[in-house]
Amino acid sequence: MSDLELRAREQDAADPLAAVRARFVLDEAVYLDGNSLGALPAAVPGRMEDVVRRQWGALRIRSWDESGWWTAPERIGDRIAPLVGAAPGQIVVGDSTSVNVFKALVAAVRLARGTTGAEGRRDEIVVDATTFPTDGYIAGSAARMTGCTLRPVAPAEVLGALGDRTAAVLLNHVDYRTGRLHDLPGLTAAVHAAGAVAVWDLCHSAGALPVGLDEHGVDLAVGCTYKYLNGGPGSPAYLYVRRELQDRFDSPLPGWNSHAEPFGMRADYEPAAGALRGRVGTPDILSMLALEAALEVWDGVSVDAVRAKSLALTDFFLECVAAYAPGGVVESLTPATHAERGSQVALRCPDAGEVMKRLIASGVVGDYRPPDVLRFGFTPLYVGFADAERAARILADTLS
């Protein structure tokens, strides 16, 4: 047994989160793609059996009240809240990340203009130029709708792009390609100093590291739930609206579910109080309740403990890659500095697409981003140090 294998065993034996692994359905593969789709929590199949057979099959329409369907968006939002550093009453679950980005960005422009009182003055939306493509597409549409100019800039250039024309800024907490963690507290403060509204995409950070939405005064935030929150494929996203802004949050998608009197069927729209303004149409109950069951894996788990293990895992994986892989064949795109790293490692190598196919065939599941990036997501709830060592060893064999 090599020194690295021995160290992996020792660290797994001392891991305070080791027992959480049993809360998931796993096999012999090393699953390092939780940054795209989290593993199945073991409680979900049984819960969905009850939802389908009893709540839908037997109670039918009564379940909107008797099974709590109607209040699920805000109830599950409150379950997510502590994972992103938010007090209750500020997160509503529903729709996709893309839809929530649209709601948040248009509302952000309206908030910024309402604050200045000058309708035409704030006419720029700043967006992370390296963002996931859909965020850029949505930002472009939001800009056209609000009469703004879209200004894509690299995250390092955001500070220089801010000014009295900036209405809203859309940024990713973690870069989906490289795993770089951006400075949410500092950038949020800079956006506020410029009189603009900060919107954060938390898809690659929620459930992997502390976010601190309330602590850092984030205005609006969105995120998916199928990555580190393990909600299942296509599980509903969420929208965070800071409490102090809720009475001025003007959604571009006012629906009957966000009406102050949803069953009043009034022709005029009156928004509900609080984060409920972020609701639109009928909640997608089946996927929403699967998410609620999935979130039970967080019972008794500290996000700080998850972050500590995440950093240790990614450190160890990078060490193993350096020790095992042929020299000069792979290059890490993920920052070595902890303050700049999310919970994934991105490695650049030739023929990355074919390399990932061979890795998957050998029992190491990551993913590939064109043209040459291997991504390995480390979900501390179920990934161990022996997994990291084995993945690095198989990667080295694949590259040899």
Side-chain angles (χ1 to χ4, degrees):
M1 181 180 298
S2 71
D3 175 64
L4 289 172
E5 288 177 282
L6 181 60
R7 283 175 51 199
R9 288 194 177 188
E10 291 172 347
Q11 290 180 92
D12 281 335
D15 176 17
L17 296 178
V20 181
R21 184 182 178 105
R23 300 178 189 178
F24 291 87
V25 177
L26 299 166
D27 53 26
E28 295 304 311
V30 178
Y31 188 67
L32 300 180
D33 210 5
N35 54 323
S36 284
L37 177 65
L40 172 66
V44 171
R47 183 68 53 81
M48 293 312 295
E49 174 80 7
D50 176 71
V51 169
V52 171
R53 293 193 178 279
R54 184 182 65 84
Q55 296 182 29
W56 179 14
L59 295 179
R60 294 181 288 274
I61 196 71
R62 292 161 52 193
S63 275
W64 284 105
D65 291 323
E66 295 180 27
S67 300
W69 288 1
W70 184 258
T71 57
E74 58 267 32
R75 182 178 72 245
I76 302 171
D78 284 348
R79 187 67 180 82
I80 292 171
L83 304 180
V84 292
Q90 298 176 100
I91 294 179
V92 64
V93 173
D95 305 311
S96 67
T97 306
S98 302
V99 172
N100 283 313
V101 168
F102 178 73
K103 286 186 270 185
L105 263 186
V106 174
V109 173
R110 293 173 177 176
L111 283 165
R113 289 174 172 171
T115 299
T116 63
E119 183 68 21
R121 182 181 177 194
R122 295 203 175 265
D123 60 357
E124 285 188 351
I125 295 175
V126 174
V127 63
D128 177 357
T130 64
T131 188
F132 189 77
T134 295
D135 281 18
Y137 306 155
I138 296 293
S141 179
R144 293 191 298 274
M145 170 176 272
T146 57
C148 286
T149 299
L150 186 66
R151 189 172 180 184
V153 299
E157 300 169 358
V158 168
L159 296 181
L162 300 174
D164 59 7
R165 294 182 60 183
T166 310
V169 181
L170 172 62
L171 296 168
N172 288 272
H173 198 190
V174 173
D175 186 297
Y176 80 100
R177 284 192 182 90
T178 67
R180 176 178 291 275
L181 174 65
H182 295 135
D183 180 13
L184 182 146
L187 287 169
T188 300
V191 171
H192 289 166
V197 177
V199 182
W200 284 92
D201 183 328
L202 308 179
C203 286
H204 288 269
S205 59
L209 53 91
V211 177
L213 292 178
D214 287 354
E215 177 186 358
H216 303 304
V218 169
D219 300 308
L220 304 168
V222 302
C224 66
T225 61
Y226 47 79
K227 301 183 191 299
Y228 297 109
L229 297 182
N230 311 295
S235 57
Y238 57 91
L239 170 67
Y240 165 89
V241 183
R242 181 158 58 90
R243 193 178 309 281
E244 293 82 356
L245 301 177
Q246 289 176 0
D247 62 347
R248 293 184 286 123
F249 179 82
D250 184 6
S251 173
L253 295 173
W256 77 283
N257 252 244
S258 62
H259 199 288
E261 297 180 31
F263 294 98
M265 303 304 167
R266 290 162 37 190
D268 59 310
Y269 180 72
E270 179 186 349
L276 294 184
R277 293 183 177 207
R279 291 175 67 154
V280 183
T282 304
D284 41 352
I285 289 299
L286 297 183
S287 58
M288 195 168 288
L289 297 186
L291 167 62
E292 185 172 36
L295 290 170
E296 292 177 4
V297 300
W298 288 92
D299 290 347
V301 174
S302 158
V303 177
D304 288 334
V306 168
R307 176 59 168 166
K309 182 178 176 183
S310 164
L311 292 172
L313 276 171
T314 48
D315 277 345
F316 185 64
F317 178 70
L318 286 167
E319 181 184 353
C320 291
V321 170
Y324 292 152
V329 177
V330 295
E331 172 196 1
S332 176
L333 302 178
T334 303
T337 304
H338 285 181
E340 297 177 355
R341 187 194 310 164
S343 198
Q344 76 176 50
V345 172
L347 301 177
R348 175 179 286 150
C349 77
D351 299 319
E354 289 303 314
V355 169
M356 183 52 69
K357 289 179 183 177
R358 294 197 295 271
L359 279 174
I360 292 172
S362 299
V364 176
V365 181
D367 68 14
Y368 154 72
R369 288 292 179 267
D372 56 1
V373 177
L374 304 171
R375 295 195 317 167
F376 301 96
F378 288 82
T379 304
L381 297 182
Y382 54 78
V383 174
F385 292 89
D387 295 322
E389 187 277 333
R390 178 183 167 198
R393 183 160 30 89
I394 293 175
L395 173 62
D397 292 342
T398 303
L399 294 171
S400 298

